[in-house]
Amino acid sequence: MAFDFNSLFAFIIFGVTIGVVYGIVALGISLIYSGLDIVHFAHGEMYMFGAFFGLVLVHNIGLPYPLALIGAMVLTALLGMAIERTFYRRLTRAGGGYTVAGMGMIICGFGMSVALVNVAYFIWGAEAEPFRANLNFIPRLTFAGDIEVPESYVLTAIISVILMAALHYFLRHTKMGLAVRAVAHNKDIAYLMGINVPLMISLIFGLACGLGAAAGVLIGPMQSVQVEMGYLMLMKAFAAAVVGGFGSLPGAIIGGIMVGIFENLGAAYISASHKDIYAFLLLILVLMFKPSGLLGIEAKVKA
Amino acid sequence: MLQINNMQAGYGNLRILRGINMEISAGSIVTLLGGNGTGKSTLLKAVSGLIPLMEGSISFDGVDITGLKPHERVRRGIVQVTQAKEAYPAMTVEENLMLGAYTRKDRGAIKADLDQVYEFFPVLRERRVQLSGTLSGGEVQMLVIGRGMMAGPKMLMLDEPSAALAPKVVLDIFGNINRIAKTGVTILVVEQNVRMALILAEYGYIIRDGVIMLQGDAKKLISDPAVKESFLGGSVADTSKILHN
Ligand SMILES: Nc1ncnc2c1ncn2[C@@H]1O[C@H](COP(=O)(O)OP(=O)(O)O)[C@@H](O)[C@H]1O
Ligand SMILES: [Mg+2]
């Protein structure tokens, strides 16, 4: 297609917006990784359940979109916490990371992912459902003459910034956030500070799942909601997390934005039918030149 | 204040402590001595609750705390400073100290304790907005002790505070441990620096292979021939004989 700066600008804007959503899911994966020492392979399903919860709250309950977003985040956080308490806790108690239990945790995550997709299938069926949200209260933005940014993208940008600011404030400026960071760094020392470590682990997991749900509710109106939507999102979020530096929270967002821009430009200028490959191309490129990711510290060795 | 009855504990199926009995009275300074790998750190971890007991019981202030989680023990005033001088490197000195006061709500008293930590360790005040990852070994040791003080402990357990530090820093730290004790905090200090520890403490326990093999007044222990020979500069051969048989 013919190159012009206006459309390049547009591709970058759309890329950044979608990328921030990848980043938010990646943020959850990174939070869980740093807090629990595990890589959560069922996180795509938290995103999927979040999207369905949001859809049900809007279509069936009739909540306005912003309330549905909050409701979906809370419900998914509770679902995630219940799953962690019931299934994961036994394994993580025996040690995460590179231990045998850590390996078990990876398999358990995959199993949970399949199980959750099937549960969702029983409830909502295999059909993709359009997420009809009333976003009239959001202005449509027009850029550089002829570029229109739809409401759902504007909203996504706004909500994402709010979520990131809130998370940053929570982690940096509240006592509980300090405790979360302490647990993420060293559980024994955190325990000795008088921090209720098991409770904080639940909180971290809930927070991460809530973020995944927010991503689902944000993407819903742009695409549609379907029980298998989690797989691809998980892969992209992983790519984002690794590109940014696994375990790094700012890295997750930056990685997400890079993946978003890269795949939008790839789709525009190389081939749109291979849109989903570009994320992994970027992943491989970054890993070749900086294996620890852009903001990653050297690999966190776990015993 | 602290009473340990037939405490047995370890890791997995590995039993390290094989029936420990100890009694520490309020306001005293007690030291726990012993060679490498004899179970000193394990004992502190069992008291702070980081590892569960296989057998026996611990009571504190007359209350059985055997089943309590570490954070619940901290709330009761049992505070451990671990051997791996571990501060949170990505947090500032003051954030680390405030984390020590995590369980407390009494703002005024927390502020007073923070001032006291800074008075005991002035270098921490100078470095208060610095990330603790940039501190020297001695400064980190001061920070983790200060963080322990911030919890408002009734009993402070210190695991080898002198390890890997320059003699001058060790003196400073021991002086400050003494000052902490003077504020009414009971001290249990694990040491390899036997001479310093026995000068500081009133009472000492010597552990070997997971049992207490000797205990008594620090002044008696320091002149005890067995202690003298094993720790206080007997020949290397003698030392290793006593430590390993
Ligand atoms: N986390 C652990 N898992 C298994 N064994 C351990 C662990 N920590 C210490 N040990 C073993 O327990 C014994 C006592 O260790 P420790 O209490 O640290 O000794 P000390 O502090 O007296 O040097 C040692 O043999 C050590 O190898
Ligand atoms: Mg030790």
Side-chain angles (χ1 to χ4, degrees):
Chain A
M1 74 185 276
F3 182 85
D4 74 282
F5 275 103
N6 275 359
S7 51
L8 174 68
F9 187 58
F11 293 133
I12 290 179
I13 287 192
F14 291 127
V16 170
T17 315
I18 290 292
V20 171
V21 178
Y22 296 157
I24 286 177
V25 179
L27 208 52
I29 291 173
S30 280
L31 263 177
I32 292 177
Y33 176 71
S34 52
L36 284 79
D37 274 7
I38 59 171
V39 178
H40 187 218
F41 281 99
H43 211 65
E45 279 57 53
M46 295 297 115
Y47 159 79
M48 177 267 288
F49 264 87
F52 270 110
F53 285 148
L55 183 142
V56 168
L57 289 176
V58 169
H59 291 190
N60 303 20
I61 315 279
L63 286 187
Y65 183 84
L67 282 183
L69 175 77
I70 296 170
M73 288 177 72
V74 171
L75 287 174
T76 312
L78 292 175
L79 173 70
M81 284 155 91
I83 289 172
E84 192 269 332
R85 263 294 151 104
T86 320
F87 299 102
Y88 300 162
R89 189 64 62 96
R90 290 159 217 276
L91 284 159
T92 49
R93 228 190 339 241
Y98 300 134
T99 61
V100 177
M103 191 64 215
M105 189 51 231
I106 291 175
I107 295 164
C108 184
F110 273 124
M112 187 56 65
S113 160
V114 174
L116 287 172
V117 168
N118 279 285
V119 169
Y121 175 81
F122 273 116
I123 305 176
W124 293 296
E127 297 291 308
E129 270 193 65
F131 192 141
R132 292 179 307 276
N134 177 8
L135 301 177
N136 289 341
F137 59 98
I138 303 287
R140 212 167 235 271
L141 289 189
T142 315
F143 276 104
D146 56 349
I147 301 165
E148 265 210 346
V149 183
E151 296 91 338
S152 56
Y153 281 75
V154 176
L155 184 75
T156 298
I158 295 171
I159 303 271
S160 305
V161 169
I162 292 174
L163 285 177
M164 287 186 290
L167 185 69
H168 179 86
Y169 181 83
F170 171 71
L171 289 177
R172 291 282 148 183
H173 300 288
T174 67
K175 193 167 162 180
M176 201 178 260
L178 197 65
V180 165
R181 286 160 61 203
V183 169
H185 187 263
N186 184 324
K187 288 176 195 49
D188 277 358
I189 305 287
Y191 247 142
L192 294 177
M193 297 296 105
I195 295 168
N196 187 341
V197 174
L199 188 72
M200 287 301 144
I201 286 179
S202 274
L203 184 81
I204 292 172
F205 206 85
L207 207 59
C209 293
L211 286 171
V217 179
L218 290 173
I219 290 278
M222 297 181 197
Q223 303 171 0
S224 55
V225 179
Q226 203 267 335
V227 293
E228 287 186 348
M229 69 195 282
Y231 293 135
L232 204 55
M233 175 51 93
L234 181 76
M235 291 299 138
K236 301 240 175 106
F238 267 136
V242 174
V243 164
F246 216 88
S248 157
L249 301 188
I253 295 293
I254 291 171
I257 291 175
M258 287 189 61
V259 168
I261 294 178
F262 204 76
E263 79 174 12
N264 262 273
L265 294 183
Y269 296 111
I270 304 172
S271 149
S273 54
H274 297 101
K275 187 160 190 269
D276 293 329
I277 290 177
Y278 303 116
F280 307 105
L281 220 61
L282 177 67
L283 175 66
I284 291 166
L285 279 176
V286 169
L287 285 181
M288 274 166 62
F289 296 105
K290 195 155 187 307
S292 56
L294 296 175
L295 297 191
I297 325 128
E298 59 296 0
K300 205 166 157 191
V301 177
K302 312 211 158 170
Chain B
M1 163 164 265
L2 180 76
Q3 200 159 10
I4 301 176
N5 302 308
N6 184 34
M7 177 167 77
Q8 310 201 15
Y11 306 94
N13 292 324
L14 185 65
R15 194 175 301 246
I16 304 291
L17 304 176
R18 299 177 298 132
I20 299 281
N21 294 293
M22 281 172 79
E23 189 162 355
I24 295 178
S25 51
S28 59
I29 305 181
V30 172
T31 185
L32 174 66
L33 307 168
N36 250 327
T38 48
K40 304 183 297 297
S41 298
T42 305
L43 191 149
L44 293 196
K45 283 186 237 172
V47 174
S48 65
L50 287 180
I51 57 171
L53 297 202
M54 296 164 167
E55 221 160 296
S57 66
I58 309 173
S59 68
F60 187 70
D61 274 346
V63 181
D64 187 354
I65 57 160
T66 315
L68 294 189
K69 287 259 175 353
H71 64 276
E72 295 163 330
R73 300 190 195 195
V74 173
R75 282 171 201 277
R76 286 169 189 265
I78 302 177
V79 174
Q80 185 196 352
V81 175
T82 60
Q83 186 173 359
K85 308 183 187 1
E86 194 145 9
Y88 288 107
M91 294 182 196
T92 65
V93 166
E94 193 152 302
E95 276 180 316
N96 266 282
L97 291 172
M98 291 314 288
L99 197 57
Y102 181 77
T103 55
R104 299 169 59 188
K105 301 211 156 43
D106 44 345
R107 277 167 182 261
I110 292 174
K111 181 74 183 60
D113 279 356
L114 187 65
D115 285 338
Q116 189 173 52
V117 170
Y118 286 149
E119 189 201 323
F120 282 19
F121 304 107
V123 67
L124 295 182
R125 190 195 295 275
E126 286 165 32
R127 308 239 186 280
R128 47 190 284 266
V129 294
Q130 206 167 310
L131 292 186
S132 75
T134 64
L135 300 183
S136 73
E139 288 163 353
V140 175
Q141 184 64 67
M142 294 175 197
L143 176 57
V144 293
I145 293 176
R147 195 172 59 184
M149 290 166 69
M150 290 302 292
K154 287 186 187 160
M155 183 176 79
L156 187 61
M157 302 191 288
L158 303 158
D159 199 344
E160 300 200 24
S162 78
L165 298 181
K168 195 170 151 289
V169 181
V170 173
L171 264 179
D172 179 38
I173 285 179
F174 269 66
N176 278 307
I177 294 173
N178 202 25
R179 286 169 84 184
I180 297 171
K182 289 230 165 65
T183 65
V185 178
T186 307
I187 304 276
L188 172 57
V189 56
V190 162
E191 260 305 334
Q192 299 252 18
N193 190 335
V194 174
R195 194 184 303 271
M196 284 290 288
L198 286 176
I199 290 170
L200 172 76
E202 293 142 20
Y203 199 84
Y205 289 90
I206 295 176
I207 185 174
R208 189 168 70 188
D209 294 339
V211 292
I212 301 292
M213 71 166 210
L214 194 63
Q215 58 176 295
D217 287 335
K219 291 198 179 49
K220 287 221 184 72
L221 287 179
I222 210 166
S223 53
D224 187 297
V227 176
K228 235 179 185 152
E229 216 179 321
S230 54
F231 297 119
L232 297 173
S235 74
V236 173
D238 285 347
T239 307
S240 94
K241 193 182 85 198
I242 289 166
L243 286 178
H244 295 297
N245 68 3

